[in-house]
């Protein structure tokens, strides 16, 4: 009667090993950035802590799959990533009318416009139009930011479960008790129709955000204006919120959901 149990344990161990291998491979790809477009085997060993033999095996597999490309100075992103990048762009690129609206809003209000969506305990920037001013707030598309603070988090988490808020709070500098503060922020943003923040995550940075609703009425994204706190006076915050609400309503009426190109 012990044989099935033994086989199940062996299968589970194999699955765990497979997951670890995938995580390690993704970790290697994650070392590539705009500032560091190439990495060497030594770089990978030093930053991941993996044995050189393990690194060589993973790099070889990634190269064979076209996800890495060997050069004289190390490994760079491989051509196989182009297909994934194309698919991601088609799925996540905003409709032309929304992009145009973001450009017009950034030009009129002279602050950076961002669109964020939720990914687990993070918010991800999926679109941005930079402020035309030299002193401005810039987040790269694809960047993941914590959700324990910030105007966008306050509207994105409107329908969040208590369990999710607790998980987010545990990652904050304030600990689990921060969940109560977050609930108060979320309730206030829901009542006013917008969230605002001033220096909650970064000193001198302010933002105003409104929810963008999907076809079922749930919050699918946050539309935000962000910039230096000195420019976010109470009067301007009210004006920013009104502009954002108008644009978010237009986005919802067109049918805004994920993936964006499917609606």
């Amino acid at each position: 009667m012990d044989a099935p149990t033994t086989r199940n344990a062996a299968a589970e161990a194999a699955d765990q090993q497979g997951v670890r291998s995938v995580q390690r491979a993704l970790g290697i790809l994650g070392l590539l950035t705009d500032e560091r477009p190439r990495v060497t085997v030594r770089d990978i060993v030093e930053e991941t802590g993996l044995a050189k033999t393990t690194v060589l095996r993973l790099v070889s597999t990634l190269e064979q799959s076209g996800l890495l490309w060997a050069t004289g100075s190390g490994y760079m992103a491989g051509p196989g990533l182009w297909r994934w990048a194309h698919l991601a762009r088609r799925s996540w690129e905003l409709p032309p009318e929304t992009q145009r609206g973001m450009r017009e809003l950034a030009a009129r209000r002279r602050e950076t416009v961002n669109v964020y969506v939720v990914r687990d305990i993070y918010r991800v920037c999926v679109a941005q139009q930079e402020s035309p001013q030299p002193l401005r707030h810039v987040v790269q598309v694809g960047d993941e930011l914590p959700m324990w603070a910030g105007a966008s988090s306050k509207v994105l988490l409107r329908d969040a479960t208590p369990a999710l808020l607790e998980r987010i709070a545990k990652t904050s500098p304030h600990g689990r008790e921060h969940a109560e503060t977050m609930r108060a922020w979320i309730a206030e943003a829901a009542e006013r129709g917008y969230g605002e923040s001033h220096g909650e995550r970064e000193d001198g940075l302010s933002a105003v955000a409104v929810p963008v609703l999907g076809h079922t009425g749930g919050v699918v994204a946050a539309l935000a204006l962000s910039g230096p706190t000195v420019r976010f006076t109470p009067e301007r915050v009210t004006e920013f919120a009104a502009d954002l609400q108008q644009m978010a309503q237009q986005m919802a009426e067109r049918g805004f959901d994920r993936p964006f190109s499917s609606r």
Side-chain angles (χ1 to χ4, degrees):
M1 297 297 291
D2 292 337
T5 301
T6 301
R7 284 196 297 270
N8 289 342
E12 183 176 349
D15 287 345
Q16 291 176 349
Q17 179 60 39
V19 170
R20 281 196 296 271
S21 295
V22 171
Q23 290 174 332
R24 290 170 173 173
L26 293 175
I28 291 173
L29 293 175
L31 296 177
L32 297 171
T33 65
D34 288 340
E35 293 73 29
R36 185 172 59 180
R38 289 176 176 81
V39 291
T40 65
V41 169
R42 176 180 292 181
D43 294 333
I44 299 171
V45 170
E46 290 178 352
E47 299 206 26
T48 64
L50 297 173
K52 184 176 181 180
T53 53
T54 300
V55 168
L56 290 172
R57 184 176 67 253
L58 291 170
V59 164
S60 176
T61 300
L62 290 169
E63 187 178 9
Q64 290 171 13
S65 301
L67 304 182
L68 284 180
W69 188 266
T71 72
S73 57
Y75 291 89
M76 60 182 285
L81 290 173
W82 272 115
R83 181 173 66 87
W84 290 3
H86 178 66
L87 289 172
R89 180 175 181 178
R90 290 188 59 188
S91 296
W92 289 95
E93 189 171 45
L94 298 179
E97 59 270 22
T98 300
Q99 296 182 46
R100 183 170 58 252
M102 291 177 65
R103 288 195 298 269
E104 293 172 351
L105 182 57
R108 185 171 69 256
R109 288 305 182 184
R110 299 181 61 77
E111 301 296 353
T112 298
V113 183
N114 293 307
V115 177
Y116 294 97
V117 298
V118 174
R119 193 192 76 78
D120 193 32
I121 62 174
Y122 303 98
R123 52 187 168 104
V124 183
C125 179
V126 295
Q128 179 181 93
Q129 183 62 46
E130 290 186 20
S131 163
Q133 305 202 63
L135 181 59
R136 60 186 181 267
H137 178 229
V138 178
V139 175
Q140 300 299 323
V141 172
D143 281 355
E144 294 183 344
L145 301 178
M147 284 205 294
W148 48 262
S152 294
S153 298
K154 295 172 185 178
V155 298
L156 284 172
L157 294 173
R158 188 189 71 180
D159 306 316
T161 64
L164 177 58
L165 293 181
E166 296 248 344
R167 288 176 57 215
I168 294 171
K170 285 195 294 185
T171 67
S172 77
H174 316 292
R176 297 182 60 176
E177 58 272 15
H178 187 57
E180 287 302 317
T181 301
M182 293 172 60
R183 291 187 182 97
W185 284 346
I186 294 165
E188 181 181 13
E191 182 178 350
R192 294 193 303 181
Y194 67 91
E196 66 176 296
S197 62
H198 303 280
E200 291 176 1
R201 191 175 59 83
E202 293 182 23
D203 289 339
L205 175 64
S206 290
V208 181
V210 301
V212 180
L213 306 182
H215 68 287
T216 62
V219 177
V220 295
L223 178 67
L225 277 166
S226 60
T229 297
V230 67
R231 298 203 296 254
F232 277 62
T233 62
E235 296 77 12
R236 295 201 80 200
V237 165
T238 301
E239 295 171 358
F240 291 165
D243 279 355
L244 290 167
Q245 288 169 334
Q246 181 179 7
M247 183 173 174
Q249 179 63 33
Q250 294 171 351
M251 293 164 67
E253 289 173 354
R254 295 188 189 109
F256 191 92
D257 214 331
R258 288 187 292 165
F260 305 132
S261 60
S262 69
R263 299 207 60 78

